[in-house]
């Protein structure tokens, strides 16, 4: 073993002669410790390979789930567009029904163009209505109060 001081710049070398039995015992201890370390290393190596396999399978599963998420997000976007379309169509249909009801109300409240009541004329009563011309066949029943005009027969 070397002994010395750095300040002096000299190193004094002394020899150490351990006893052979001490060296053998130290060697056997180191060998045993080395075997224990190797056994632990093998266990860790096996554990590492198992973890690596599990990691790779989880990585594949993650990629599969990411693909599913991408396809689902595309479906979600499409679903939102379809819902917007349905809402717009429902709104348009509601407007159509409302407008149809308004048109039917307007058409139902129209008056006959010959009805001049309210314009300085009095409304016609049922007794003073004009007789209407009706063309009647030979075998038809004629209701009372109807004047029939016969067309000139050409022979």
């Amino acid at each position: 073993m070397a002994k010395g001081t750095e300040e002096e710049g000299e190193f004094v070398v002394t020899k150490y002669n351990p006893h052979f039995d001490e060296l053998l015992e130290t060697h056997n201890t180191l060998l045993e410790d080395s075997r224990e370390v190797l056994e632990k290393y093998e266990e860790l190596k096996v554990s590492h390979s198992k973890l690596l396999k599990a990691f790779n399978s989880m990585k594949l599963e993650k990629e599969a789930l990411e693909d599913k998420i991408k396809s689902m997000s595309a479906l979600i976007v499409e679903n939102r567009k379809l819902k917007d379309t349905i809402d717009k169509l429902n709104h348009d249909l509601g407007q159509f029904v409302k407008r149809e009801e308004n048109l039917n109300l307007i058409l139902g409240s129209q008056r006959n163009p010959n009805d001049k009541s309210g314009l300085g004329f009095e409304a016609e009563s049922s007794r003073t209505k004009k007789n209407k011309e009706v063309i009647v066949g030979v075998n038809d029943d004629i209701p009372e109060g109807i004047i029939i005009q016969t067309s000139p027969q050409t022979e």
Side-chain angles (χ1 to χ4, degrees):
M1 205 174 213
K3 288 186 180 179
T5 61
E6 291 180 19
E7 296 173 359
E8 297 173 0
E10 289 184 27
F11 289 97
V12 177
V13 178
T14 59
K15 292 184 180 180
Y16 175 70
N17 288 331
H19 194 264
F20 180 74
D21 290 335
E22 288 179 25
L23 286 176
L24 187 60
E25 187 179 322
T26 306
H27 173 69
N28 288 337
T29 306
L30 285 174
L31 188 60
E32 216 170 288
D33 288 345
S34 169
R35 284 184 193 147
E36 289 176 10
V37 168
L38 283 175
E39 288 174 5
K40 186 67 174 173
Y41 173 74
E42 290 299 321
E43 290 174 11
L44 290 174
K45 195 174 178 181
V46 169
S47 175
H48 174 71
S49 66
K50 287 179 182 178
L51 288 174
L52 191 59
K53 286 179 185 177
F55 175 76
N56 287 334
S57 67
M58 286 184 182
K59 190 175 179 181
L60 292 174
E61 185 178 344
K62 177 189 169 216
E63 290 172 359
L65 289 174
E66 285 175 346
D67 290 341
K68 279 186 179 180
I69 288 172
K70 286 179 185 177
S71 65
M72 284 183 184
S73 61
L75 290 174
I76 289 171
V77 169
E78 183 181 358
N79 191 16
R80 287 181 185 153
K81 287 180 183 178
L82 291 174
K83 281 183 180 181
D84 291 342
T85 304
I86 288 172
D87 290 342
K88 184 180 181 303
L89 290 173
N90 282 336
H91 176 73
D92 290 346
L93 183 62
Q95 292 293 324
F96 176 77
V97 169
K98 183 179 176 183
R99 289 177 182 154
E100 181 187 26
E101 290 172 357
N102 289 342
L103 181 63
N104 288 337
L105 182 67
I106 290 170
L107 291 175
S109 66
Q110 283 184 341
R111 296 188 329 187
N112 186 349
N114 294 328
D115 184 15
K116 297 185 179 173
S117 62
L119 298 174
F121 297 97
E122 292 181 19
E124 293 181 9
S125 64
S126 62
R127 286 180 272 146
T128 61
K129 286 187 179 176
K130 296 182 180 178
N131 293 326
K132 295 184 179 179
E133 207 175 294
V134 177
I135 299 173
V136 180
V138 177
N139 294 333
D140 292 340
D141 291 336
I142 302 172
E144 291 183 22
I146 294 181
I147 299 173
I148 300 175
Q149 290 183 341
T150 57
S151 58
Q153 296 178 355
T154 55
E155 292 181 37

